Every structure is written in structure tokens, then in C-alpha cells.
Amino acid sequence: MTTELRGKPVARQLLDRASKTVEDLKKIDCFPTLAIVRAGSDQASVSYENAAIKTMERVGITVESVVFEETVNAEAFLQALRGLNQNKNVHGILVMQPLPGTLSRNDVARCVDPSKDIDGLTPENLGLVVENEKNALVPSTPKAVMALLDHYAIELEGKDVCVIGSSPVVGKPLTLMLLNAEATVSNLHIKTKDTKRYTQEADIVISATGVVELVTADDIKDGAVVIDVGFGYKDGKPVGDVKYDEVAAKASAVTPVPGGVGSITTAVLAEQVTQAAWRQCSE
Amino acid sequence: MTTELRGKPVARQLLDRASKTVEDLKKIDCFPTLAIVRAGSDQASVSYENAAIKTMERVGITVESVVFEETVNAEAFLQALRGLNQNKNVHGILVMQPLPGTLSRNDVARCVDPSKDIDGLTPENLGLVVENEKNALVPSTPKAVMALLDHYAIELEGKDVCVIGSSPVVGKPLTLMLLNAEATVSNLHIKTKDTKRYTQEADIVISATGVVELVTADDIKDGAVVIDVGFGYKDGKPVGDVKYDEVAAKASAVTPVPGGVGSITTAVLAEQVTQAAWRQCSE
């Protein structure tokens, strides 16, 4: 019997904890606030922003939206970030991606105060993942995967894990987090000669490529755990990297898309806002 | 015929380049200076420091040694680092390890100015490895491995590579650098169930564990490239992680110990001092 690893219960657990932290913070006159900064109005970005706002409201986090035209001058955008860094009433900063062509991801990442960087955008926070610093503010998607694995008590120590995809936002930090949990990790990607050689023997396969239905039943061993971090569309319907039906018939557990990892990320953001606020307000 | 991948020619190439940069810097009245900070007098640490000093002298980098007792008060040590951060005549800071028990590695790492951190100790510089920032100042040992692979024109793109060892100083940053070079990387360690399953099919095996003669001929495939980042002693003689004679008979190329990766690291440090000085003096 295959377990469907749904994201909602994981998100609920994270949000319950975040709500309690918000209550505690308000008792010490700290009103956790997230600034969401966006340039342009990329559709996926706006709808993710709306989801994030709803999640924040649910746990009592105030949201300030700062919106620029897509044609924003880089210096004006960075200046706004510097203002938010200075603003003591703002505890977290979320910069929506993709950034328009006028803005360099590196310049933006280096401009955000690491102590307010609740989506692990800054080099400093990424470096803390290498160091296995437990209290670091880290990229939300890989942390959502780790929260899901933890929630469903999927053991990692000594397990053979394949991560497909090696972006700096998901694949690489996820590889590091899994290594920190003492899994044996293989990071595969577009240049990998033979992915099956790795995936067919893996206890856990995690795909984060955005290539629709990349992972088929033939790619996994019987009883594997399969985590789908992909998101795309097929025949107008949202689907992930995993050919769900056939993989579910062979795997011991699999995340759906939608309703899997993606439904946890804004809860991770909320948790990290409370964590950042706690550190700033108790200083 | 097995190629012995000696470190000396790699170091020489790096040092020639560093020497030229030092000459150029002196023309603009910039005299590249490295501060080496040590607490206590761990024997291996002192002999590495001496090797580093010799390398720096060879390329015209000035060295300032700051030595504390092993019982140094943490605040005094951190205060010294802050002073060096401020000192415009110091371009690089190297903190010798191991640190005595009174000092936390994390506190020390967070105290060094990233722009002077010529051994990739700070979270910020480690994070730049995740981001694949080409000009980052990174940990010297993994960079020495990459320099060696580059020098001997060992292709990485699409190759199956095993890294054994997952420390934040070598194994994890090396895994990231190899991913940045588009290799398929498996990171193995003490908790790995079956290392042979990975190593026997790998094009390149890199061992960084300090476990004497861990890697035997049976662990590798015919014609593999084997890189030994280990260092230990057997019967009073320095040896690495690799059982050299039998592995050399099967591999296409292998690094000796001593005389392999270890003989490149101080050259990497020198190169990074000149890189840091260049950035600081041309600002």
C-alpha cells in the first residue's frame, strides 16, 4: 500500500508552531512583519505572493508589500531593500523571483540583511547550510522537503538518496541538508550520463527539475520513497516531475503534485519569519 | 600506464601566476600581506604555518604572525581578528586550526571579514560556492583538488565522481565545486551502507577521510582517476587514504601522498591572498 505524502498536515504542524511563536512575540510587544518585495507582475510570482500573504495572515504575521514596475532602476530597488534592512519594524524580507532583467540576482542577494533573509537567498545563509548550522534561515523549498521527510518519519541516516536537479535554490542546498542528516547523496542533473543507474538503487528519489513526468516507474526500485519538487502543466493540468500513477504503484510513498512539497513552502516562510523576529526582538 | 598526478607542477603554475599579480600590485603601491593567526602550538598546525610562510615569501607576500597561548581568552582572540579586519595593510587572514577548546569555530568564522578570508572559513564565502561564484575566496583544499584536476586536463562534465568524506572544510565544498563543474557527484561518508557500489563504477574517486589506506584496488574500476586528500601515518611514514601501489596498478591516474594535493594548498592560499589584495587595492 503506497502512502501519499500530502503536504497539508506538514504545513499545519509548522503553522501551529508559528502561531504559538507569534503569540509569544506579541506578549513582548514584537509584531512579526514580513516585507514582500516584487518588481513586475509575473503571474506565477503574484499568485505565490498571494498564497504567502494568506499564510502569514493565518498565523498573525503582518505583511507589507513593496511593488515596483518591471522597468525599475536597480539602484532604486536596492535602496528599498536597504531601507527594509534598517527598518526595525520589519523582521523578514522576501524578494519575489524571477527578477526582471534590470536586476542582478547576485546584487539583490548581497543586499538583503542575512538576519531578515527568510528564504535563504544570501550567500551567508547558504553557507550556514554547508556548516550544518541548525538555526540558519534557509531556502524554503529544500527546507519544506526536509520538513515533509521528518513529518512522515522517513529515516535518512545511511540511506541512499538521489537528488535530481542542482540549482542553487533547491538541488544544491537540498543535497547539503540531506548530507547534514547523514544520508548518502547523489546529485544528478542534465549532464548525468545514466540517471537510472543511480535512481534504480536509491531508497529515496527527489526530483526538482521542472521537467514534466521525468521520473517513471522504471526509474525507481520497489518500495522507494519518491519526492516530487517539480511543477509544470500537462494538458492544462498542473503536474510534477513524477509520472504519478505508475510511480505510486511501485513506490512505498510518494508526494502528489499539487498538494505535496509545494503546499509546505509558505508555511516554512512563516516559520522563518517568526524565527527571525524572535532573534531580532529578544536581542 | 598510470599517470602520477604530482602536486608540484600545479603549485608552480599557481605560484607563477601569484608572483606576477604581486608584481602588478606593487606597481600600484599595494604590498600584499597575510596575517596568520594561531592559538597554541599544535605541531601539525605549526609545520603547515611554516610551509605557508615559505610559500608566501616565494611570491613576495609579506606575512605577519599573530600568536596566542592555547589558553587565550575568546574575546581577546576575536578582538585581534577585528583589528586585522580594520587594518588596511592586511589583505588576507588565515586562522590556523585546530582551535583550542576556549574558541568556537563558528564565532571565529563569523568574525573574519569575508573579503580577507583567504581560506573560505566564513559562511558568506562558503555560500558563494553554492552560488557558483567564480571569484569567491574558497577553502584551499577543495580548490587545490580542482586546480589539480584542471592542470591535468581531467574532464569533469558528465563524469561520475565519488567524494568520500563530507566535512564542511573539504567534502561538502568539494562536492559543490564538482557539481559546479557539471560532474555527477555522490558524497559518501561513514554512514554510507555500501561505498563500493558507488566507487566501483565511478570515473573519479576522491577520498578525504584521514582513514589510512581506506581505498583499495577492489574499490575502483579499471582506469579510474583516484585523488587522495587524506593524510596519516603508517609504520612512521606519511601515507594517505589510498593504498597507493595496488590502486596505481589499476587506476589511469592517481595522486601520491605526500606530493599530491597537499603540496598545492599553500599555493592556493597565496593565489587567494593576491586575489583579495587586488580587490582591496583597486577599490
Side-chain angles (χ1 to χ4, degrees), chain B residues 156-169:
Chain B
L156 291 170
E157 189 183 299
K159 298 295 175 188
D160 295 299
V161 182
C162 284
V163 174
I164 314 174
S166 58
S167 75
V169 182

Side-chain angles (χ1 to χ4, degrees), chain B residues 27-243:
Chain B
K27 281 180 207 154
I28 59 165
D29 284 326
C30 176
F31 300 90
T33 299
L34 170 66
I36 301 182
V37 187
R38 171 167 48 87
S41 47
D42 175 81
Q43 206 188 328
S45 181
V46 170
S47 78
Y48 187 66
E49 181 178 329
N50 289 336
I53 292 172
K54 241 169 81 178
T55 303
M56 299 306 150
E57 281 172 354
R58 180 168 156 189
V59 298
I61 293 169
T62 305
V63 176
E64 281 181 24
S65 289
V66 184
V67 180
F68 291 94
E69 295 289 318
E70 200 181 332
T71 53
V72 62
N73 166 282
E75 189 44 37
F77 192 87
L78 298 177
Q79 199 50 48
L81 289 177
R82 286 186 208 108
L84 295 169
N85 288 344
Q86 298 294 324
N87 187 340
K88 286 205 179 279
N89 297 319
V90 168
H91 308 96
I93 300 172
L94 176 64
V95 181
M96 298 308 297
Q97 312 223 24
L99 295 163
T102 51
L103 295 170
S104 124
R105 184 183 181 279
N106 278 3
D107 289 349
V108 169
R110 278 159 196 63
C111 189
V112 176
D113 179 341
S115 68
K116 297 189 177 184
D117 168 31
I118 54 99
D119 199 13
L121 181 70
T122 61
E124 182 165 332
N125 286 332
L126 285 173
L128 292 174
V129 184
V130 182
E131 287 193 350
N132 194 14
E133 165 63 54
K134 309 287 182 203
N135 297 315
L137 298 170
V138 301
S140 53
T141 299
K143 190 169 177 182
V145 172
M146 298 304 285
L148 181 132
L149 293 168
D150 181 60
H151 181 91
Y152 289 103
I154 295 164
E155 213 192 324
L156 291 170
E157 189 183 299
K159 298 295 175 188
D160 295 299
V161 182
C162 284
V163 174
I164 314 174
S166 58
S167 75
V169 182
V170 184
K172 280 191 280 185
L174 182 55
T175 291
L176 294 166
M177 290 177 194
L178 292 161
L179 286 172
N180 291 342
E182 302 189 299
T184 299
V185 188
S186 298
N187 193 163
L188 321 179
H189 44 72
I190 189 114
K191 295 289 170 62
T192 298
K193 282 186 281 188
D194 181 0
T195 53
K196 283 195 198 329
R197 165 160 111 59
Y198 291 93
T199 58
Q200 284 178 342
E201 299 205 42
D203 300 310
I204 303 172
V205 174
I206 307 177
S207 187
T209 69
V211 178
V212 164
E213 297 186 341
L214 176 75
V215 180
T216 66
D218 187 42
D219 288 306
I220 64 162
K221 74 175 181 187
D222 277 318
V225 172
V226 180
I227 310 291
D228 191 344
V229 195
F231 191 82
Y233 287 92
K234 192 188 173 187
D235 306 330
K237 281 189 194 157
V239 292
D241 284 4
V242 174
K243 210 160 181 175

